Amino acid sequence: MPASVPAPDPAPPERLAGAIERVTFHSEQSGFCVLRVNVKGQRDLVTVIGSAASVTPGEFIEAQGHWVNDRQHGLQYRAERLQVVPPSTLEGIEKYLGSGMVKGIGPHFARKLVRAFGAAVFEVIETTPERLEKLEGIGPKRRERVVSAWAEQKVIREIMVFLQSHGVGTSRAVRIYKTYGEAAILKVTENPYRLALDIWGIGFKTADTIAQHLGIPHDALIRAQAGVRHVLQVWSEQGHCAAPPAKLVAMAVSLLAIPEPLIEQAIALERAADNLVLDQELLYLTPLQRAELGCAQQLQRLLRGAPPWGLIDTAKALPWVEQQTGLALSPSQRAAVATMLAHKVTIITGGPGVGKTTLVNSLLRILRAKQITVLLAAPTGRAAKRLTETTGLEAKTVHRLLEFDPTSYQFKRDATHPLETQLLILDETSMMDTVLMNQVLRAIPDAAGLLVVGDVDQLPSVGPGAVLADLIDSGAIPAVRLTEIFRQAQSSRIITNAHRINRGELPLAPPPGESSDFYLIYAAHPEAIATKLLTAVTERIPRTFGVDPVRDIQVLTPMNRGGLGVQALNIALQARLNPNRQPCVQRYGTTYAPGDKVLQRVNNYDKEVFVAADLKLA
C-alpha cells in the first residue's frame, strides 16, 4: 500500500570546481547567475546555475549541487552552494583583470599587469599599489580604480565566506550582502534575528540556524522576541490575522521551548518596538493590523460620493440589456443589476451556476454604453483568463494590474499612482487575503466604483484573513447573494452537489450506468481508498473516457503526509505509471519527475508553486 512505501532518500550533493570561462547572465539584484565553467576532466564547458554576489571570468568556483537535465537547455549543474575565489593561474588572473571588473582596465592593461608582476599581482595591488604607476599608461586615477575594485571584491568574498560558514545558503547570502553591504558581518553577528525583519524570504528558522552557529543561547531574549513574531507568522499562515495574548504565549512556549515569563517580556519589547500591536484584546503583527485597518479605511473612502456612471433608469436599462445579450434575467438577477447600478461599491456572491457571470456581463454592457472605463482583475492567472473568456475584455492578475516590481517587492500602483479607471471588477475575491486586498483598495481612485465578485462558501484565502466573508458580514457594503441554480447549470452534478455540500447535505451520486461529470466511490477505510484511487486513475478513467493517465488526470489531496497524502500517492502512482522513471528535479526534499501525479503543492510562506508533471517551475 502507499503508506508502506518509503520515501526516496534525497541524493547527496555533488562537488564541482573549475574556472569561470564566461558569465552568460548575472543579476545584480538577486545574484542569480548562469556560468560557463571549465571543469577539469570535462571536455566541454559546463553550464552552472547558482547565485553569487559578484562573478567575473577567470575566477575559480567551488560548488555543491546536483546535475539536472533541463528540457530546453540540456545538462546543467544547479549549485546549492557556490563559492567564488580569486584565480591562481596567470591565464586566469589575466582574464579576471581584463573582464571589465575594474573600470579602465581592459585586456591590454591586464596583460601588462600580469607580465610585470606575475602571480604576485594581487599582493601588489593590496600592499604596494604605488608600484602600479611604474607601468606605462597607469597613473594615480587608474591605480585608485584598481585598488578600490580589488578592495570591494575582497569585502564581498569575506562576507560570503562568513555567511556560508554559518549555514547560510548562497542565494540568501547574496540577499544579505545586497541589503547590508560592507556592514553585513557586523549586523548579522550583533543580532542574526534582524534578518527575518529586514530581508524578504528569510524567516525565523534561517535566522535561528545562524544564531546557533554564532553561539547565541537558546533562551536569549533576542531569540524570544524573534520567536513570538515567528509564532504569529505561523498562525497567520493558517488564515488568522491576530491571536489573543494568552494563546500567543502558549503557542510560543510550546514551539520555542522558552519559559513563559521570558515570552511575556519579549512580547512587551516587541510591542514597544512597534513590531506587534494590541488591538481589541488581540495581538497582531504590525503589517497585518495596518492592512486590516487599511481595508476598512479604503472602503469607507470608496463608499463616499455618487457612482461615476450617475443615475441610470433601470426600468429602461434592464430590457435594453436583455435585448442586447439575448438572455432573460430572472427576478433575482434584475434586482441584483439594479442594486449594482445604484451603489458605488457592491458585492456579488453565490455558488457555481447561479448567474454571477451573466450579472457581470449585463452590468458591463450597460456601463460601457455609458462610456465608463472598466478594469477587470482576479487573484490568479487561471481566474483572470476565465474572466477574459466570459466577458470578452482583458482581465489581469492583481499583481499585474498593480504592476508588481519583483526587484523591490512593491507595487507601482498605489494611492500616489492610482489605477486609471472608473470601475474595477474584482473576481474570485474569496482567494484574496487581507494584505493583498489592502493593496488593491489603495490603488482605486476616489471617484471610481468597485464590484467585488466571489463565492463566499469557497475555502478562504491561503493568506491571513477571510476578506469576502468579513465584508459581507459587516453589512456596511450592499451585497447580493444569488442562490437560484439556473437550468443550464442544473445538468451538472458538480454544481448541484457543491450547493448540497454548502447546505450541509451529502452529495448525490449518479445512478449506475449513467454518464455524469461527478462520481462517488465509496470505501470503508484508507487502504481501500488508496486501492480504488490507483485503479481509477490508472485503469478505469482512462478506459472509460479515453484520456491519458499521465497528461490528462490530476489528483488532489488535502494533506502532504500519510497513506493518502501527496508523498505516498506520488510514489504509488509513479510505480504504476512510470516505473522506470529517472529523477529530474528536487524541491522541498522530495524528488519529482515526469509522471508524478499529485501535481501541485503550495508553500504558504513564500507562495512558491511548482508542477512536477512537466517540471515547470514558477
Side-chain angles (χ1 to χ4, degrees), residues 5 19 34 56 97 139 250 263 322 395 403 413 416 496 527 536 565 615:
V5 180
V34 180
T56 307
L97 290 173
I263 295 294
E322 288 178 327
E403 299 176 23
R413 294 286 183 174
T416 59
T496 55
E527 290 76 11
L615 303 185

Side-chain angles (χ1 to χ4, degrees), residues 104 179 205 362 546:
T179 303
K205 291 182 179 179
S362 298

Side-chain angles (χ1 to χ4, degrees), residues 591-607:
T591 302
Y592 294 88
D596 286 1
K597 292 311 300 171
V598 182
L599 302 184
Q600 194 171 36
R601 286 170 59 199
V602 179
N603 179 317
N604 290 347
Y605 182 74
D606 59 16
K607 306 297 188 299

Side-chain angles (χ1 to χ4, degrees), residues 177-512:
Y177 168 73
K178 294 294 182 183
T179 303
Y180 297 141
E182 295 183 6
I185 294 176
L186 176 64
K187 289 181 180 292
V188 172
T189 305
E190 285 179 343
N191 182 4
Y193 294 104
R194 70 185 301 162
L195 297 171
L197 283 176
D198 295 345
I199 301 176
W200 184 91
I202 294 184
F204 172 80
K205 291 182 179 179
T206 299
D208 205 28
T209 300
I210 299 171
Q212 290 175 24
H213 278 86
L214 291 170
I216 293 176
H218 183 77
D219 58 353
L221 186 57
I222 57 172
R223 181 174 186 269
Q225 288 180 247
V228 295
R229 295 195 307 269
H230 170 64
V231 170
L232 266 184
Q233 176 69 50
V234 172
W235 187 238
S236 74
E237 288 167 10
Q238 299 176 37
H240 307 288
C241 289
K247 175 72 174 178
L248 176 58
V249 170
M251 290 190 297
V253 168
S254 173
L255 191 63
L256 303 173
I258 293 177
E260 187 173 312
L262 193 60
I263 295 294
E264 291 174 342
Q265 184 183 356
I267 290 174
L269 289 172
E270 286 300 290
R271 286 183 59 193
D274 201 29
N275 294 324
L276 300 183
V277 176
L278 183 67
D279 186 357
Q280 296 184 10
E281 304 303 317
L282 292 172
L283 278 168
Y284 289 78
L285 289 167
T286 301
L288 276 180
Q289 192 256 1
R290 289 175 179 168
E292 196 169 82
L293 286 178
C295 285
Q297 292 165 356
Q298 299 300 332
L299 284 166
Q300 288 173 345
R301 170 181 65 85
L302 292 173
L303 284 166
R304 290 194 288 266
W309 46 85
L311 184 63
I312 294 178
D313 188 347
T314 54
K316 294 179 180 178
L318 289 170
W320 177 85
V321 79
E322 288 178 327
Q323 183 181 16
Q324 292 290 312
T325 61
L327 296 174
L329 299 176
S330 70
S332 62
Q333 287 179 314
R334 293 172 70 90
V337 172
T339 300
M340 291 186 292
L341 291 174
H343 295 90
K344 196 168 172 229
V345 182
T346 315
I347 299 170
I348 302 175
T349 187
V354 296
K356 296 193 296 294
T357 299
T358 300
L359 273 186
V360 171
N361 281 330
S362 298
L363 182 70
L364 281 171
R365 287 273 187 152
I366 295 170
L367 295 184
R368 282 171 62 81
K370 296 287 186 180
Q371 305 300 311
I372 296 296
T373 58
V374 181
L375 289 176
L376 296 90
T380 67
R382 178 170 293 184
K385 182 181 178 182
R386 189 166 56 84
L387 186 59
T388 298
E389 292 169 349
T390 56
T391 63
L393 302 174
E394 182 190 12
K396 299 179 180 179
T397 64
V398 169
H399 283 73
R400 187 173 161 220
L401 179 80
L402 299 181
E403 299 176 23
F404 178 69
D405 182 359
T407 59
S408 63
Y409 298 102
Q410 293 181 337
F411 295 103
K412 295 180 181 178
R413 294 286 183 174
D414 54 20
T416 59
H417 186 210
L419 297 167
E420 296 173 4
T421 188
Q422 293 174 287
L423 172 66
L424 174 63
I425 296 178
L426 198 57
D427 198 13
E428 297 290 1
T429 318
S430 62
M431 299 181 187
M432 298 276 289
D433 62 34
T434 303
V435 174
L436 188 57
M437 178 60 88
N438 182 46
Q439 295 290 344
V440 174
L441 296 174
R442 290 176 64 230
I444 302 175
D446 290 348
L450 172 65
L451 177 61
V452 176
V453 185
D455 182 357
V456 74
D457 293 317
Q458 285 184 351
L459 290 173
S461 61
V462 173
V467 175
L468 182 60
D470 289 346
L471 290 180
I472 294 171
D473 291 343
S474 72
I477 299 172
V480 175
R481 183 184 287 267
L482 303 173
T483 57
E484 179 185 355
I485 305 175
F486 290 92
R487 186 173 56 195
Q488 60 269 33
Q490 290 175 356
S491 61
S492 168
R493 286 189 178 270
I494 291 177
I495 291 176
T496 55
N497 280 322
H499 287 272
R500 288 182 63 85
I501 292 169
N502 282 337
R503 295 194 299 267
E505 302 171 2
L506 289 174
L508 297 176

Side-chain angles (χ1 to χ4, degrees), residues 16-322:
L16 180 142
I20 300 174
E21 191 72 23
R22 186 169 70 250
V23 178
T24 304
F25 176 80
H26 180 244
S27 168
E28 290 290 335
Q29 287 75 29
S30 67
F32 175 78
C33 58
V34 180
L35 312 175
R36 296 286 283 165
V37 178
N38 193 341
V39 177
K40 188 176 180 180
Q42 296 277 356
R43 185 182 64 182
D44 300 323
L45 295 178
V46 171
T47 299
V48 175
I49 312 296
S51 295
S54 173
V55 281
T56 307
E59 287 180 310
F60 194 83
I61 64 165
E62 297 173 353
Q64 291 183 357
H66 294 88
W67 291 96
V68 174
N69 192 10
D70 185 89
R71 277 188 170 186
Q72 184 176 355
H73 302 290
L75 192 64
Q76 299 177 339
Y77 181 87
R78 295 192 184 274
E80 296 162 7
R81 291 178 62 88
L82 193 153
Q83 185 174 345
V84 180
V85 296
S88 56
T89 67
L90 293 180
E91 181 185 0
I93 292 170
E94 183 178 325
K95 183 175 289 186
Y96 177 67
L97 290 173
S99 65
M101 176 199 77
V102 183
K103 190 175 181 181
I105 297 291
H108 174 69
F109 280 111
R111 192 174 303 114
K112 272 190 173 185
L113 289 168
V114 172
R115 285 178 179 175
F117 303 112
V121 63
F122 296 141
E123 183 180 348
V124 171
I125 293 172
E126 191 168 336
T127 59
T128 56
E130 63 277 2
R131 293 175 60 188
L132 299 177
E133 294 186 38
K134 294 180 180 179
L135 299 179
E136 184 183 353
I138 297 183
K141 289 185 178 180
R142 182 166 280 170
R143 184 197 73 186
E144 280 301 315
R145 285 202 296 264
V146 173
V147 172
S148 175
W150 174 252
E152 182 182 352
Q153 294 295 316
K154 186 179 179 183
V155 168
I156 292 173
R157 283 193 296 275
E158 288 175 349
I159 291 171
M160 297 297 287
V161 169
F162 168 81
L163 293 171
Q164 291 177 343
S165 68
H166 288 90
V168 183
T170 306
S171 60
R172 286 194 173 107
V174 171
R175 287 205 294 274
I176 293 170
Y177 168 73
K178 294 294 182 183
T179 303
Y180 297 141
E182 295 183 6
I185 294 176
L186 176 64
K187 289 181 180 292
V188 172
T189 305
E190 285 179 343
N191 182 4
Y193 294 104
R194 70 185 301 162
L195 297 171
L197 283 176
D198 295 345
I199 301 176
W200 184 91
I202 294 184
F204 172 80
K205 291 182 179 179
T206 299
D208 205 28
T209 300
I210 299 171
Q212 290 175 24
H213 278 86
L214 291 170
I216 293 176
H218 183 77
D219 58 353
L221 186 57
I222 57 172
R223 181 174 186 269
Q225 288 180 247
V228 295
R229 295 195 307 269
H230 170 64
V231 170
L232 266 184
Q233 176 69 50
V234 172
W235 187 238
S236 74
E237 288 167 10
Q238 299 176 37
H240 307 288
C241 289
K247 175 72 174 178
L248 176 58
V249 170
M251 290 190 297
V253 168
S254 173
L255 191 63
L256 303 173
I258 293 177
E260 187 173 312
L262 193 60
I263 295 294
E264 291 174 342
Q265 184 183 356
I267 290 174
L269 289 172
E270 286 300 290
R271 286 183 59 193
D274 201 29
N275 294 324
L276 300 183
V277 176
L278 183 67
D279 186 357
Q280 296 184 10
E281 304 303 317
L282 292 172
L283 278 168
Y284 289 78
L285 289 167
T286 301
L288 276 180
Q289 192 256 1
R290 289 175 179 168
E292 196 169 82
L293 286 178
C295 285
Q297 292 165 356
Q298 299 300 332
L299 284 166
Q300 288 173 345
R301 170 181 65 85
L302 292 173
L303 284 166
R304 290 194 288 266
W309 46 85
L311 184 63
I312 294 178
D313 188 347
T314 54
K316 294 179 180 178
L318 289 170
W320 177 85
V321 79
E322 288 178 327

